[in-house]
Amino acid sequence: CFFMKAVTGYNERSWAIDVIQEISNWANQRSVAIKRAGGENTVSTGTGSLFPDVLLYGNKTSNFNILQGWELKFPDTPLTDAELIKNARKKADIFGVNSFLVWNVTSAALYFINDKGEHSILHTWNDLNHVTKRNQVEQHKEQWIQMLHNILSDISDYFNNGVIRSASIIDFLFSGVK
């Protein structure tokens, strides 16, 4: 009898699942605007669908109070990748929020969308410059979890100070109506 040894690889989806779980654990231990995280939601654009990697929610049970969407990539995708930023921005517009985050393990950037509809970087984190390859992500888990906690603390401060805002139920329901 011949048995093959299963080989599994830690990929972007594996990482996203770990990030979502860690955000929810972090939020459950604090009194912050972020109540939980989720993923695997389909967002209709009217002409297609988008799939945010991470959604932050301001409610433990409802999917209506979206605080922010995140796009996650492994280190071989630059944080400045135009398609990554465009995709994250499109989702932020659909959700009616004024911020979004892109993170490639190595670095993260929080973008703010002003009243004129222009986006710019509000805050960056560059804690893991030494993580440059896909196969390094899982082995540096404790380090990216610490970076994640720093990101969440800073984002919570921006929510508390009113710099970034969540979408209201009205924004969410009428986001596609022009």
Side-chain angles (χ1 to χ4, degrees):
C1 193
F2 177 75
F3 292 99
M4 291 181 58
K5 184 176 180 180
V7 178
T8 61
Y10 195 75
N11 57 35
E12 286 175 350
R13 190 67 210 133
S14 305
W15 180 50
I17 291 167
D18 285 347
V19 167
I20 290 166
Q21 184 177 23
E22 189 60 37
I23 292 169
S24 293
N25 290 343
W26 181 89
N28 282 334
Q29 298 171 14
R30 290 161 182 77
S31 179
V32 292
I34 302 164
K35 301 301 181 199
R36 67 183 177 91
E40 293 298 323
N41 294 30
T42 304
V43 178
S44 175
T45 64
T47 59
S49 297
L50 298 172
F51 305 93
D53 294 323
V54 176
L55 288 174
L56 302 183
Y57 293 100
N59 186 300
K60 287 189 184 235
T61 57
S62 169
N63 285 347
F64 288 119
N65 191 6
I66 296 172
L67 300 176
Q68 193 174 72
W70 291 15
E71 290 301 308
L72 304 179
K73 292 293 180 188
F74 267 9
D76 54 342
T77 300
L79 204 61
T80 56
D81 181 82
E83 198 59 35
L84 172 67
I85 296 165
K86 178 182 169 188
N87 193 8
R89 169 62 194 262
K90 187 173 195 176
K91 293 170 191 172
D93 290 342
I94 290 169
F95 299 140
V97 297
N98 70 346
S99 65
F100 60 91
L101 184 109
V102 292
W103 186 15
N104 72 352
V105 183
T106 302
S107 302
L110 174 64
Y111 282 82
F112 172 75
I113 304 166
N114 67 23
D115 291 337
K116 295 178 183 176
E118 304 159 336
H119 65 261
S120 59
I121 294 176
L122 179 63
H123 195 116
T124 59
W125 299 264
N126 298 301
D127 303 33
L128 300 179
N129 288 328
H130 60 283
V131 179
T132 59
K133 295 179 178 36
R134 288 176 166 259
N135 64 1
Q136 295 175 308
V137 176
E138 188 175 25
Q139 58 189 312
H140 288 92
K141 184 174 184 174
E142 291 304 314
Q143 292 174 333
W144 64 251
I145 286 175
Q146 183 57 53
M147 183 175 171
L148 173 61
H149 291 179
N150 293 339
I151 292 168
L152 291 168
S153 292
D154 291 340
I155 287 174
S156 290
D157 288 343
Y158 285 119
F159 276 114
N160 290 340
N161 295 332
V163 174
I164 58 177
R165 63 169 169 74
S166 66
S168 71
I169 184 71
I170 301 302
D171 293 334
F172 185 79
L173 291 174
F174 294 102
S175 62
V177 177
K178 300 289 180 205

